[in-house]
Amino acid sequence: MLEEALQEISRGSSEIIDNERVEKLVKRFLETGETYTVKAGFDPTAPDLHLGHTVLLQKLAAFQKFGGRIQFLIGDFTAQIGDPTGKSETRKQLTPEKIKENSVSYTEQVFKILDREKTEVVFNSEWINPLGAVGMLELTTQYNVARMLERDDFEKRYKGGVPISVSEFIYPLLQGYDSVFLKSDIEIGGTDQKFNLLMGRHLQRAYEVGKEQAVLMMPILEGLDGVQKMSKSLNNYIGVNDEANDMFGKILSISDDLMWRYYELLSSKSLTEIAEIKAGVDNSSLHPKKVKESLALEIVERFHSKELADGAKIEFEKVHAKSQIPTDIAEFELEGPIWIAKALQECKISPSTSQSRRDIKQGAVKIDQIKVEDEQLQLETGEYILQVGKRKFAKAKVK
RNA sequence: GGUGAGAUAGUCAAGUGGCCAACGACGGCAGACUGUAAAUCUGCUCCCUAUGGGUUCGAAGGUUCGACUCCUUCUCUCAUCACCA
């Protein structure tokens, strides 16, 4: 049992600091039922969760199975500073109302994965605001600039002459202070958060909390392109609120290599099971597409339902394998007669008539499954299924 | 505050009076091949019913038959020197 628990907890993680402590906590839970706290911080600036976030959430869910009580921290205060990790852009200030609004939609999505009973949602402004100037000053005495500059991205920026704002130094300190206040036993985060996570340990020692949190880091999930991290701004993400059909399609569109990555980090299949599947593909007894399908089914089912997942699969086959027309397509009413290029634009499947013309020239435009050859074509009264490329459809009712 | 450099399409980046709607790269879209995978190859990539017209190259003016290219002012970025708390 202990073995199993530890395996599930460490699965997919890129690094665990103080693994012994994790083992001890889990062991104690299994023997005595005593729980421990696992902290994870989230930024309320972007309220839409995608699968990249769920890598962490699933890890939290795994902890919940083995005695972890989750401290789901919404960094409403720290969001005002902006995490210096990665790019350094000044953040927009969020109003308290907006933050509240975001965190509501956040938690709604989160509880698709986490057990509400074993989760405590906390906001760090709650203890950072009362800190005041004195507390803040005291906090800054706990670390020095030289060590701060050891951090990779700071070092690079410093050497490269890229400015570093002093407030950015404050960020890791505050995140670490969260761990002091919450007396967290374990904190989990992405590998990119290593510095900040370790700060939690450092500060817990400095403030004599009586324990130092263990740290578990998860790799950053690659987006649909397979190269860059999944993020909304790169538009390579699969949102947990995506429609079942979209979600299914997006998962099937990832490359085979990336599929294994998703299996490891997102699937709830055991590692041995996954290894077996991979062996099957390697010796050609399993078709990679089938394997990808079952991954897609699993994930769609998690965020929607079995019915919708199956439906999405059928729909997908209908549209792509048999190149039929999807069941649900947007309808538009147009004034006829209307030029085809204009109609495509009106139906929002082409950004401009210029683009429409180019697409027609390339033979990418179909009406009722028949390729359009004449770019001057006028649509008379009637109903048409318009199509651009393989995936863009619209139904046009011309009056 | 001084000095110097720069601001060009989604991004990077050429162009330094007409040949520029603007080289190239990336991204994106489409076609072929497929498993709507990847890889590869090809075409397209400001808008407008178009062998034409319109609006673009940080902003506003000016010079010119004609400016992305020259001049003036402004805004912003970056580098660098100095100074002050």
Side-chain angles (χ1 to χ4, degrees), chain A residues 46 110 336 376:
Chain A
V110 161
Q376 298 302 328

Side-chain angles (χ1 to χ4, degrees), chain A residues 72-85:
Chain A
F72 188 87
L73 182 141
I74 295 182
D76 60 340
F77 188 94
T78 31
Q80 296 171 22
I81 301 178
D83 183 1
T85 304

Side-chain angles (χ1 to χ4, degrees), chain A residues 89-101:
Chain A
E89 278 168 36
T90 321
R91 295 261 175 128
K92 282 174 258 162
Q93 289 267 10
L94 289 180
T95 61
E97 295 80 56
K98 185 70 189 163
I99 289 177
K100 190 158 276 172
E101 193 185 312

Side-chain angles (χ1 to χ4, degrees), chain A residues 86-212:
Chain A
K87 280 181 213 159
S88 72
E89 278 168 36
T90 321
R91 295 261 175 128
K92 282 174 258 162
Q93 289 267 10
L94 289 180
T95 61
E97 295 80 56
K98 185 70 189 163
I99 289 177
K100 190 158 276 172
E101 193 185 312
N102 285 353
S103 41
V104 168
S105 78
Y106 229 101
T107 42
E108 265 169 23
Q109 299 169 63
V110 161
F111 289 124
K112 286 182 177 175
I113 296 176
L114 291 185
D115 181 344
R116 204 181 280 262
E117 294 298 305
K118 298 175 181 168
T119 307
E120 187 190 355
V121 178
V122 290
F123 296 81
N124 65 359
S125 61
E126 191 187 306
W127 55 85
I128 292 178
N129 278 331
L131 210 52
V134 176
M136 192 69 104
L137 195 62
E138 191 193 346
L139 182 59
T140 58
T141 62
Q142 305 300 338
Y143 216 71
N144 64 59
V145 172
R147 288 204 58 196
M148 203 58 99
L149 284 172
E150 284 170 9
R151 177 181 163 150
D152 267 12
D153 45 5
F154 281 154
E155 194 187 357
K156 259 182 226 154
R157 280 161 67 185
Y158 186 64
K159 283 188 178 158
V162 180
I164 303 169
S165 153
V166 172
S167 66
E168 294 182 78
F169 278 178
I170 305 288
Y171 188 94
L173 288 170
L174 289 176
Q175 185 172 333
Y177 185 77
D178 292 340
S179 294
V180 171
F181 182 86
L182 292 169
K183 301 183 170 60
S184 313
D185 292 305
I186 302 174
E187 175 161 12
I188 79 171
T191 46
D192 57 337
Q193 291 287 315
K194 185 169 182 175
F195 186 89
N196 297 346
L197 295 169
L198 290 174
M199 186 62 85
R201 284 170 67 83
H202 175 84
L203 291 179
Q204 282 180 330
R205 193 182 327 134
Y207 279 83
E208 296 173 358
V209 172
K211 54 179 150 188
E212 282 179 46

Side-chain angles (χ1 to χ4, degrees), chain A residues 191-320:
Chain A
T191 46
D192 57 337
Q193 291 287 315
K194 185 169 182 175
F195 186 89
N196 297 346
L197 295 169
L198 290 174
M199 186 62 85
R201 284 170 67 83
H202 175 84
L203 291 179
Q204 282 180 330
R205 193 182 327 134
Y207 279 83
E208 296 173 358
V209 172
K211 54 179 150 188
E212 282 179 46
Q213 63 182 16
V215 167
L216 188 148
M217 280 166 273
M218 295 302 291
I220 300 300
L221 186 71
E222 291 82 358
L224 298 174
D225 53 72
V227 181
Q228 287 180 285
K229 69 170 184 178
M230 183 176 284
S231 88
K232 201 174 180 192
S233 50
L234 294 170
N235 197 28
N236 62 356
Y237 70 102
I238 302 176
V240 306
N241 282 339
D242 279 359
E243 298 269 332
N245 287 341
D246 279 354
M247 200 182 265
F248 193 92
K250 281 184 184 175
I251 296 167
L252 275 205
S253 79
I254 65 174
S255 75
D256 289 1
D257 288 342
L258 190 59
M259 163 173 84
W260 298 116
R261 186 88 172 135
Y262 279 32
Y263 255 109
E264 184 190 13
L265 293 175
L266 297 172
S267 169
S268 47
K269 286 195 167 59
S270 74
L271 291 176
T272 29
E273 251 177 297
I274 293 171
E276 277 165 24
I277 296 171
K278 191 158 193 319
V281 170
D282 287 344
N283 69 25
S284 310
S285 65
L286 278 175
H287 193 290
K289 196 196 171 197
K290 292 277 167 231
V291 176
K292 207 181 288 174
E293 264 173 12
S294 70
L295 175 70
L297 281 173
E298 183 188 338
I299 292 174
V300 175
E301 188 180 331
R302 176 177 307 150
F303 297 105
H304 295 281
S305 65
K306 176 117 178 62
E307 290 70 45
L308 284 172
D310 290 338
K313 184 182 172 198
I314 292 164
E315 182 73 9
F316 185 88
E317 274 165 9
K318 182 178 167 192
V319 177
H320 301 292

Side-chain angles (χ1 to χ4, degrees), chain A residues 18 75 82 132 150 190 219 233 244 290 312 326-327 343 355 378 393:
Chain A
D18 202 355
E150 284 170 9
S233 50
K290 292 277 167 231
T327 13
Q355 182 65 46
Q378 298 290 325
F393 292 90

